[in-house]
Structures are given as C-alpha cells and as structure tokens.
Amino acid sequence: MRSTLYLKFVIVYILFGFLCIFSVATLTFNLTSAPLVEETAFSLYQEVNLIASNYLPPYFAEELEKRDVYLQLSGMELQLEASIWFVDKDGKMISSAVSDDYPNAPFYIQDFDPVEISGRQYQIGRYHEYFDEDVITVMAPVVYGYTPRGYLIIHKYLDDLQDAQHILLRAASITVFLIYILSFVILLAFHYFVYRPLHNITEAAAQYASGNLEYEIPVYTEDEMGYLSASLNYMSSHLRDVKDYQKKFVANVSHDFRSPLTSIKGYVEAIADGTIPPESYEKYLKIILFETERLTDLTQDLLTLNEFDSENLILNKEIFDIHEMIKHVAASFEGTCKQKKISIDVLFASKHLNVNADKRKIQQALYNLLDNAIKFSDPDSVITVETTERGDKVYTSVKDEGIGIPRNSLNRIWERFYKSDLSRGKDKKGTGLGLAIVKEAIQAHGENVNVVSTEGVGTEFIFSLPKG
C-alpha cells in the first residue's frame, strides 16, 4: 500500500491538474466563440437600429447636414472600434467613419443588395471582398416617408473578439489554478484522514498475522476509520485473552490428565513388577478405578463443553415438568446422601410446573448443581431445592449449608478448571468444569444463573427458564 495507493492518488492528482489546464486551453475558445459572436452581433444590431431609426432620417428631409452625420458616425466608430458606412438605397456612400485597422470605405458598394441580410441580425464574411478577413456585418434601413431611403452598416472584425476570449481564458485559467491549488487540501485530507489510518490498520494486520497481538493502533478520530481501528484493537485484545485462555486451558487439561495417568501407570507398574504384594491388590485397584472414573468424568465434561462451544449448537426444546426432573435427579443422589447423612428438601408451590427447554441439558445442569452442593455440605445438613414463578419465568434454586465461597472467588467460579482454595480439599474427584457446564447450559437458553454465598454459611445457585 505504501508504494501503490498513495502514489496512485498523487498521480491522479497531477493528471487532474494537466486535464484541467488542457480543458481550459482547448475548450474556452470553442465554448465562448459562438456566445461572444451572438452577444457582439446583438449589441451592434441594437446600436445600428437605434441610430438608423432616431438620428439619421432627418438627413433625407435635409434637416441634418452631412457634417453632423459624420460626427455621429465618428462617435460610434470610437465607441465600437468598427467600420461604419452610411449609404443610400443604391449603395452609394453618403458618409463613413473607419477605425485605423480597417480599409477605407468604397465610394460605391458593388452589387449592393439590402435583402442579403434579411431575416437575420448579422452575417459573417468579407462583405463583397472589401475586407481581408472575416467581419461581422449588421445593417439597418433608414426610413423616411415610409420607405427605406438609405442604410446604416457596421462592420467589425471577428478577430477583435479574441481579446475578450483571452480575458475569459485568463480568468478561467486563474480560477482553475486556484481550484487546483485548493484541491491540494483534498490530498492532505486523504493523507491524514485516510492513508495514515489505513496504513496503521495495514501495519496492524501484518503484526497480527505474524503473531504480535500486543500491537495497538493509535486512534485519533471517532469516524469510521477510528471505529475500525478501535474494533481491531478490541479484536487483538480479545485474541490475546483467547490465546492466554487456550494456554491456560491446555495446561489445566494436561495437568488433570497427567495426574491420574501417572497414578494409574505407577500402580500398574508396581503390581506388574511385584512391588505391591497380592494381598494389597484390592486396595490399589480401587485407587486405579477411582482415577479412571476421574478421567472418564473429565473426558465427558470436555465433550459437553465442546458441544456448547460449537456455533451449530441446536437445543432440542420441549415442554416438561421441572418438578418431576428435580425429583428424579435428587433420587439419583440417595446413596451419596445417606453416606454423608445429608437430606434434600424440595419446596414446590404447585404439584406440576412446566418449562420450555432442552431437557437433557437442564437435567445435566441440575445434576451438577446438586453434586456440587453435596460435595461441599457438612454431614447432617440440608440441601433445599425450590422453584418459584415470576411472570413468564420459572426460577429454580439449589441451596446448601456448606463451606460457602470466598468473596474473591465468586467471579471466578464459572471459569473452566477453577477451584477455590477451600474446595480443593473436599473436591478430590472434581474436574473444575461442573459450574462452567451449568453456566453454558443456562446461557444457551438465553437465561441467567446467579450465585449468592457466605463463607461458612452456605451457597445458593438460582437459574431461570422460560415457562412452558
């Protein structure tokens, strides 16, 4: 872009200047020639008719002397810088006034024909070859006694109009030159408002492509370029977060897989080489089974989260009774609850309450919340599951009397693989993905899940679903 776009714009700017000069030089004469001829001829026509109608008729009544006629014609000649002839009806010269550049008037006009200009205001030519170059000729009859007694004729060189054309050309050239200079502002505006931001954006794209996500585009304006730059900065920041998350995610997955695999490998090798005596096989096989279940749970949770991450996630929504689901999920924890002497109470405002959601995903979210509550509840405590209706929403609450969540960990419990310091001792088998799955499942329905917790008192999770 550095060597092409900007150079192209400069070349176009220079070509624009040459085209303007060429257009003015070639078109000014062509465009002004005909209008100037028309305007000059019309002005001469008005002048010749005015004098022929108002001043010269008394000459034929012998009320105006030839000397007075000559003075009038001389005044016209000085004003018009033309050749002015006053002839009788036969073409005989009565009087004339001629500028220095014009030939002397003839004594008699050969083949004089007054009707040769009839129907027109003027004619262009050499007028019976009395002139060496083209002239504009206008003629008006001098009427006395209701009949034309003579004619007033004005000749003006066509080349005299070039002076006016040169003046127009000069004015047009100066105007175009000023416009061309002022249009340099457009080039500067392009440089500062388009090229520089675009150059920065291109540089940023190259930096991002090379893996440097720390590069930040300077933003000086709030227009489309500024918005694009800010968007790219936001994108790079988001990509940095994603990259950091991916590193952290891979590290966590590697760690969570490595620990049970190391244990399994160590115990299997110890059994195989006889380090562990046969009478201890049962103990260590149970440990191997426990670690295998951890790997199975971790694999299943990762597959579940991958399903939520897919852009093509399709929810199989249906209407079902949330109360029946809660009862079935709670029943699945009966054995675990008996071991820890924990009871699950359900508080339903009605016997049945329908919701419209993906039954399998909501069942999994509810299972994870109850499993989480049981893990962190003390023996002889109570877990309460309650549903309430508010408008077109159904709210489900899972509340325990466990260890609670520290305040500084509340915003991080939804992160994948995150475990608070208090939970690490109690959640031996957990993968740290349960609450992440809950959040993904609820948000996939366009709903929210919230948590209220007090350390040492208990925790309550509340999520909403649309009423069926």
Side-chain angles (χ1 to χ4, degrees), residues 357-392:
D358 189 310
K359 188 173 182 179
R360 185 177 66 84
K361 290 180 173 57
I362 298 303
Q363 183 176 14
Q364 186 174 22
L366 189 59
Y367 181 92
N368 287 353
L369 289 176
L370 277 172
D371 182 57
N372 208 60
I374 293 170
K375 286 177 185 176
F376 302 113
S377 291
D378 296 324
D380 299 317
S381 62
V382 177
I383 296 173
T384 304
V385 183
E386 183 179 1
T387 60
T388 55
E389 294 183 64
R390 296 176 194 171
D392 60 347

Side-chain angles (χ1 to χ4, degrees), residues 47-48 51-78 83-88 92-98 142 149-154:
E47 188 75 21
V48 76
I51 300 302
S53 301
N54 299 328
Y55 189 81
L56 294 180
Y59 172 80
F60 294 103
E62 298 182 353
E63 298 175 358
L64 188 67
E65 296 182 2
K66 185 178 291 188
R67 180 175 59 84
D68 296 327
V69 172
Y70 175 76
L71 291 175
Q72 178 65 32
L73 297 184
S74 296
M76 290 180 63
E77 177 267 323
L78 290 174
S83 178
I84 303 172
W85 300 349
F86 179 34
V87 299
D88 63 15
K92 183 179 180 181
M93 191 66 60
I94 298 174
S95 181
S96 65
V98 180
V142 180
R149 302 290 297 275
Y151 295 91
L152 182 62
I153 307 172
I154 299 178

Side-chain angles (χ1 to χ4, degrees), residues 84-211:
I84 303 172
W85 300 349
F86 179 34
V87 299
D88 63 15
K89 62 180 180 178
D90 296 323
K92 183 179 180 181
M93 191 66 60
I94 298 174
S95 181
S96 65
V98 180
S99 294
D100 294 339
D101 295 335
Y102 290 83
N104 294 327
F107 178 76
Y108 180 81
I109 299 176
Q110 297 290 334
D111 301 323
F112 178 67
D113 185 4
V115 300
E116 62 186 349
I117 311 181
S118 63
R120 295 177 294 169
Q121 290 183 350
Y122 67 95
Q123 72 175 12
I124 295 177
R126 298 190 177 185
Y127 196 73
H128 300 275
E129 302 301 325
Y130 287 113
F131 298 93
D132 295 332
E133 55 186 277
D134 288 345
V135 294
I136 300 174
T137 301
V138 294
M139 180 187 300
V142 180
V143 179
Y144 180 75
Y146 301 104
T147 59
R149 302 290 297 275
Y151 295 91
L152 182 62
I153 307 172
I154 299 178
H155 307 286
K156 187 172 181 63
Y157 280 131
L158 198 61
D159 286 347
D160 289 349
L161 302 183
Q162 289 184 353
D163 294 336
Q165 287 181 304
H166 284 301
I167 293 173
L168 292 175
L169 177 61
R170 249 191 327 269
S173 299
I174 292 172
T175 302
V176 169
F177 180 73
L178 289 176
I179 292 174
Y180 182 68
I181 295 299
L182 291 175
S183 66
F184 184 71
V185 176
I186 298 176
L187 185 64
L188 292 178
F190 169 81
H191 177 78
Y192 285 104
F193 299 120
V194 177
Y195 174 76
R196 286 180 62 183
L198 194 58
H199 171 73
N200 291 334
I201 291 171
T202 304
E203 179 64 23
Q207 293 290 335
Y208 298 155
S210 64

Side-chain angles (χ1 to χ4, degrees), residues 259-276 280-281 283-289 291:
S259 295
L261 286 174
T262 301
S263 297
I264 293 171
K265 180 183 178 183
Y267 290 130
V268 170
E269 287 178 346
I271 292 173
D273 62 17
T275 303
I276 297 176
S280 300
Y281 283 179
K283 173 186 175 182
Y284 291 102
L285 285 175
K286 286 182 179 179
I287 295 174
I288 292 173
L289 179 61
E291 297 293 352

Side-chain angles (χ1 to χ4, degrees), residues 411-425:
N411 292 330
R412 302 192 60 194
I413 60 173
W414 310 107
E415 295 179 12
R416 300 176 183 185
F417 294 105
Y418 177 75
K419 291 183 181 181
S420 68
D421 294 335
L422 291 178
S423 69
R424 291 186 183 276

